[in-house]
Amino acid sequence: FAGLADVSISEDIPVEGEITVPVGSHSPDEDYSTLDEPVRDTIMRDLKAVGKKFVHVMYPKKSSALLRDWDLWGPLVLCVSLALMLQGGSADSKDDGGPQFAEVFVIIWFGAVVITLNSKLLGGTISFFQSLCVLGYCVLPLTVAMLVCRLVLLAGSGTISFVIRLIVVVAMFGWSTLASTAFLADSQPPNRKALVVYPIFLFYFVISWMILTFTPQ
């Protein structure tokens, strides 16, 4: 730093003054925190957010609504509901239905995790939990299909019943697949979209097969 010794400040340049940091107007909303609101308001806000995501799944379109504010409450509710409706089938006639509930629960979450890892390894631009959120919420049409199939089985288990259940399950399978790809396709490189869609297809196909082959005790 020997050259700095020759640097001098001219006397014509004023160096006096005040240094101030501009502070914007402080609004009361900036001090508001979710810790200050009633528990009821917090629960209602979360329920409305989950409901809006359900609407986006039932009317799928290319949107970032499921990706922007992700959560796992909706997928958890759908997974538990589907597992509860699938338990107690004829395949578990010797047991109390507990293992079947665990099997459905593990298949859904493990399958979603595998698809998410596959998406990330192929260069996906969304986060791990965003992908889980989308895959979980898109189980909604298949949960509706399971509910319809349970109601149809109450009327009987003949050929007509099977045809009705087949139509409902195939329609909802296509709905779930299209809804999930509508949200996830744009996050993948163009030349690798097929490698991402294929595991999603298998994931919802396995769930659809469990629904279609379900028969109560």
mmCIF file of all heavy atoms in Angstrom, residues 1 9 21 40 45 51 53 59 63 71 91 95 99 171 175 181 186 199 210 216-217:
data_model
loop_
_atom_site.group_PDB
_atom_site.id
_atom_site.type_symbol
_atom_site.label_atom_id
_atom_site.label_comp_id
_atom_site.label_asym_id
_atom_site.label_seq_id
_atom_site.Cartn_x
_atom_site.Cartn_y
_atom_site.Cartn_z
ATOM 1 N N PHE A 1 0.807 -1.204 0.000
ATOM 2 C CA PHE A 1 0.000 0.000 0.000
ATOM 3 C C PHE A 1 0.845 1.260 0.000
ATOM 4 O O PHE A 1 0.475 2.285 0.550
ATOM 5 C CB PHE A 1 -0.954 0.020 1.201
ATOM 6 C CG PHE A 1 -1.845 -1.167 1.244
ATOM 7 C CD1 PHE A 1 -1.582 -2.256 2.063
ATOM 8 C CD2 PHE A 1 -2.971 -1.234 0.432
ATOM 9 C CE1 PHE A 1 -2.401 -3.350 2.079
ATOM 10 C CE2 PHE A 1 -3.813 -2.322 0.456
ATOM 11 C CZ PHE A 1 -3.528 -3.389 1.279
ATOM 12 N N ILE A 9 -6.846 14.224 -0.054
ATOM 13 C CA ILE A 9 -8.196 14.718 -0.301
ATOM 14 C C ILE A 9 -8.125 16.213 -0.505
ATOM 15 O O ILE A 9 -7.561 16.939 0.331
ATOM 16 C CB ILE A 9 -9.139 14.382 0.872
ATOM 17 C CG1 ILE A 9 -9.202 12.866 1.045
ATOM 18 C CG2 ILE A 9 -10.511 14.947 0.645
ATOM 19 C CD1 ILE A 9 -10.025 12.448 2.235
ATOM 20 N N VAL A 21 -30.069 6.743 7.415
ATOM 21 C CA VAL A 21 -30.674 5.603 6.724
ATOM 22 C C VAL A 21 -32.157 5.859 6.597
ATOM 23 O O VAL A 21 -32.852 6.017 7.609
ATOM 24 C CB VAL A 21 -30.431 4.289 7.494
ATOM 25 C CG1 VAL A 21 -31.090 3.127 6.771
ATOM 26 C CG2 VAL A 21 -28.947 4.057 7.660
ATOM 27 N N ARG A 40 -58.537 -20.397 15.797
ATOM 28 C CA ARG A 40 -59.620 -20.657 14.844
ATOM 29 C C ARG A 40 -59.311 -20.029 13.479
ATOM 30 O O ARG A 40 -59.537 -20.657 12.432
ATOM 31 C CB ARG A 40 -60.929 -20.098 15.392
ATOM 32 C CG ARG A 40 -62.121 -20.272 14.462
ATOM 33 C CD ARG A 40 -63.398 -19.725 15.091
ATOM 34 N NE ARG A 40 -64.526 -19.834 14.183
ATOM 35 C CZ ARG A 40 -64.817 -18.924 13.250
ATOM 36 N NH1 ARG A 40 -64.042 -17.851 13.121
ATOM 37 N NH2 ARG A 40 -65.854 -19.098 12.466
ATOM 38 N N ARG A 45 -57.832 -20.611 7.829
ATOM 39 C CA ARG A 45 -56.983 -20.197 6.708
ATOM 40 C C ARG A 45 -56.315 -21.408 6.065
ATOM 41 O O ARG A 45 -56.238 -21.508 4.832
ATOM 42 C CB ARG A 45 -55.928 -19.200 7.191
ATOM 43 C CG ARG A 45 -55.110 -18.607 6.044
ATOM 44 C CD ARG A 45 -53.992 -17.707 6.513
ATOM 45 N NE ARG A 45 -52.978 -18.451 7.239
ATOM 46 C CZ ARG A 45 -52.794 -18.372 8.533
ATOM 47 N NH1 ARG A 45 -53.550 -17.599 9.273
ATOM 48 N NH2 ARG A 45 -51.836 -19.090 9.123
ATOM 49 N N GLY A 51 -58.486 -26.483 0.535
ATOM 50 C CA GLY A 51 -59.642 -26.546 -0.367
ATOM 51 C C GLY A 51 -59.337 -25.975 -1.742
ATOM 52 O O GLY A 51 -59.783 -26.525 -2.762
ATOM 53 N N LYS A 53 -56.477 -25.983 -3.224
ATOM 54 C CA LYS A 53 -55.624 -26.953 -3.938
ATOM 55 C C LYS A 53 -56.465 -28.105 -4.468
ATOM 56 O O LYS A 53 -56.214 -28.623 -5.559
ATOM 57 C CB LYS A 53 -54.525 -27.460 -3.004
ATOM 58 C CG LYS A 53 -53.489 -26.397 -2.635
ATOM 59 C CD LYS A 53 -52.398 -26.992 -1.788
ATOM 60 C CE LYS A 53 -51.316 -25.960 -1.471
ATOM 61 N NZ LYS A 53 -51.795 -24.880 -0.598
ATOM 62 N N TYR A 59 -59.884 -29.314 -11.415
ATOM 63 C CA TYR A 59 -59.878 -28.581 -12.683
ATOM 64 C C TYR A 59 -58.420 -28.311 -13.058
ATOM 65 O O TYR A 59 -57.934 -27.186 -12.931
ATOM 66 C CB TYR A 59 -60.659 -27.266 -12.561
ATOM 67 C CG TYR A 59 -62.115 -27.459 -12.254
ATOM 68 C CD1 TYR A 59 -62.579 -27.413 -10.941
ATOM 69 C CD2 TYR A 59 -63.035 -27.701 -13.276
ATOM 70 C CE1 TYR A 59 -63.927 -27.601 -10.655
ATOM 71 C CE2 TYR A 59 -64.378 -27.894 -12.999
ATOM 72 C CZ TYR A 59 -64.815 -27.847 -11.685
ATOM 73 O OH TYR A 59 -66.141 -28.035 -11.406
ATOM 74 N N SER A 63 -50.603 -24.451 -13.786
ATOM 75 C CA SER A 63 -50.615 -23.398 -12.778
ATOM 76 C C SER A 63 -49.589 -23.724 -11.709
ATOM 77 O O SER A 63 -49.229 -24.877 -11.490
ATOM 78 C CB SER A 63 -52.017 -23.275 -12.156
ATOM 79 O OG SER A 63 -52.002 -22.405 -11.048
ATOM 80 N N ASP A 71 -48.034 -27.883 0.832
ATOM 81 C CA ASP A 71 -48.263 -28.455 2.157
ATOM 82 C C ASP A 71 -48.532 -29.935 1.984
ATOM 83 O O ASP A 71 -48.796 -30.405 0.877
ATOM 84 C CB ASP A 71 -49.438 -27.770 2.874
ATOM 85 C CG ASP A 71 -50.767 -28.061 2.195
ATOM 86 O OD1 ASP A 71 -51.334 -29.154 2.441
ATOM 87 O OD2 ASP A 71 -51.263 -27.216 1.434
ATOM 88 N N ALA A 91 -59.063 -60.063 0.665
ATOM 89 C CA ALA A 91 -57.702 -60.582 0.706
ATOM 90 C C ALA A 91 -57.169 -60.643 2.127
ATOM 91 O O ALA A 91 -56.261 -61.397 2.425
ATOM 92 C CB ALA A 91 -56.778 -59.713 -0.149
ATOM 93 N N ASP A 95 -57.224 -61.495 8.747
ATOM 94 C CA ASP A 95 -56.637 -60.497 9.626
ATOM 95 C C ASP A 95 -57.680 -59.442 9.957
ATOM 96 O O ASP A 95 -58.833 -59.499 9.529
ATOM 97 C CB ASP A 95 -55.410 -59.859 8.971
ATOM 98 C CG ASP A 95 -54.357 -60.919 8.659
ATOM 99 O OD1 ASP A 95 -54.206 -61.832 9.484
ATOM 100 O OD2 ASP A 95 -53.719 -60.817 7.596
ATOM 101 N N PRO A 99 -52.712 -54.659 8.576
ATOM 102 C CA PRO A 99 -51.611 -54.713 7.607
ATOM 103 C C PRO A 99 -51.963 -54.104 6.266
ATOM 104 O O PRO A 99 -51.125 -53.494 5.627
ATOM 105 C CB PRO A 99 -51.333 -56.208 7.489
ATOM 106 C CG PRO A 99 -51.815 -56.786 8.782
ATOM 107 C CD PRO A 99 -53.008 -55.973 9.154
ATOM 108 N N ALA A 171 -61.580 -43.559 -15.606
ATOM 109 C CA ALA A 171 -61.739 -42.110 -15.773
ATOM 110 C C ALA A 171 -60.942 -41.342 -14.724
ATOM 111 O O ALA A 171 -60.239 -40.365 -15.044
ATOM 112 C CB ALA A 171 -63.217 -41.742 -15.702
ATOM 113 N N TRP A 175 -57.678 -38.860 -14.947
ATOM 114 C CA TRP A 175 -57.746 -37.527 -14.352
ATOM 115 C C TRP A 175 -56.537 -37.276 -13.460
ATOM 116 O O TRP A 175 -55.915 -36.207 -13.532
ATOM 117 C CB TRP A 175 -59.037 -37.408 -13.543
ATOM 118 C CG TRP A 175 -59.507 -35.997 -13.327
ATOM 119 C CD1 TRP A 175 -58.721 -34.894 -13.184
ATOM 120 C CD2 TRP A 175 -60.855 -35.544 -13.260
ATOM 121 N NE1 TRP A 175 -59.492 -33.783 -13.005
ATOM 122 C CE2 TRP A 175 -60.804 -34.147 -13.050
ATOM 123 C CE3 TRP A 175 -62.086 -36.190 -13.330
ATOM 124 C CZ2 TRP A 175 -61.961 -33.383 -12.914
ATOM 125 C CZ3 TRP A 175 -63.236 -35.422 -13.196
ATOM 126 C CH2 TRP A 175 -63.180 -34.044 -12.997
ATOM 127 N N THR A 181 -49.318 -34.455 -14.277
ATOM 128 C CA THR A 181 -48.394 -34.061 -15.343
ATOM 129 C C THR A 181 -48.581 -32.598 -15.730
ATOM 130 O O THR A 181 -47.611 -31.944 -16.148
ATOM 131 C CB THR A 181 -48.599 -34.947 -16.583
ATOM 132 O OG1 THR A 181 -49.992 -34.940 -16.967
ATOM 133 C CG2 THR A 181 -48.169 -36.369 -16.301
ATOM 134 N N ASP A 186 -43.828 -29.057 -16.779
ATOM 135 C CA ASP A 186 -43.035 -27.880 -17.127
ATOM 136 C C ASP A 186 -41.763 -27.750 -16.303
ATOM 137 O O ASP A 186 -40.891 -26.952 -16.631
ATOM 138 C CB ASP A 186 -43.874 -26.610 -16.952
ATOM 139 C CG ASP A 186 -44.957 -26.499 -18.004
ATOM 140 O OD1 ASP A 186 -44.828 -27.168 -19.047
ATOM 141 O OD2 ASP A 186 -45.931 -25.751 -17.787
ATOM 142 N N PRO A 199 -43.134 -43.091 -14.727
ATOM 143 C CA PRO A 199 -43.312 -43.530 -13.329
ATOM 144 C C PRO A 199 -44.597 -43.009 -12.701
ATOM 145 O O PRO A 199 -45.207 -43.695 -11.880
ATOM 146 C CB PRO A 199 -42.072 -42.956 -12.622
ATOM 147 C CG PRO A 199 -41.075 -42.747 -13.690
ATOM 148 C CD PRO A 199 -41.863 -42.375 -14.903
ATOM 149 N N MET A 210 -55.573 -51.439 -7.187
ATOM 150 C CA MET A 210 -56.016 -51.805 -5.849
ATOM 151 C C MET A 210 -57.478 -51.436 -5.634
ATOM 152 O O MET A 210 -58.240 -52.165 -4.998
ATOM 153 C CB MET A 210 -55.136 -51.110 -4.801
ATOM 154 C CG MET A 210 -53.721 -51.651 -4.714
ATOM 155 S SD MET A 210 -52.820 -51.037 -3.266
ATOM 156 C CE MET A 210 -52.786 -49.278 -3.610
ATOM 157 N N PRO A 216 -65.218 -56.220 -0.687
ATOM 158 C CA PRO A 216 -65.400 -56.282 0.769
ATOM 159 C C PRO A 216 -65.561 -57.708 1.252
ATOM 160 O O PRO A 216 -65.882 -58.621 0.496
ATOM 161 C CB PRO A 216 -66.675 -55.467 1.004
ATOM 162 C CG PRO A 216 -67.413 -55.557 -0.296
ATOM 163 C CD PRO A 216 -66.378 -55.648 -1.367
ATOM 164 N N GLN A 217 -65.341 -57.892 2.534
ATOM 165 C CA GLN A 217 -65.489 -59.233 3.122
ATOM 166 C C GLN A 217 -66.940 -59.672 3.074
ATOM 167 O O GLN A 217 -67.843 -58.889 3.265
ATOM 168 C CB GLN A 217 -65.023 -59.211 4.579
ATOM 169 C CG GLN A 217 -63.520 -59.013 4.720
ATOM 170 C CD GLN A 217 -63.076 -59.068 6.170
ATOM 171 O OE1 GLN A 217 -63.897 -59.315 7.074
ATOM 172 N NE2 GLN A 217 -61.818 -58.851 6.408
#
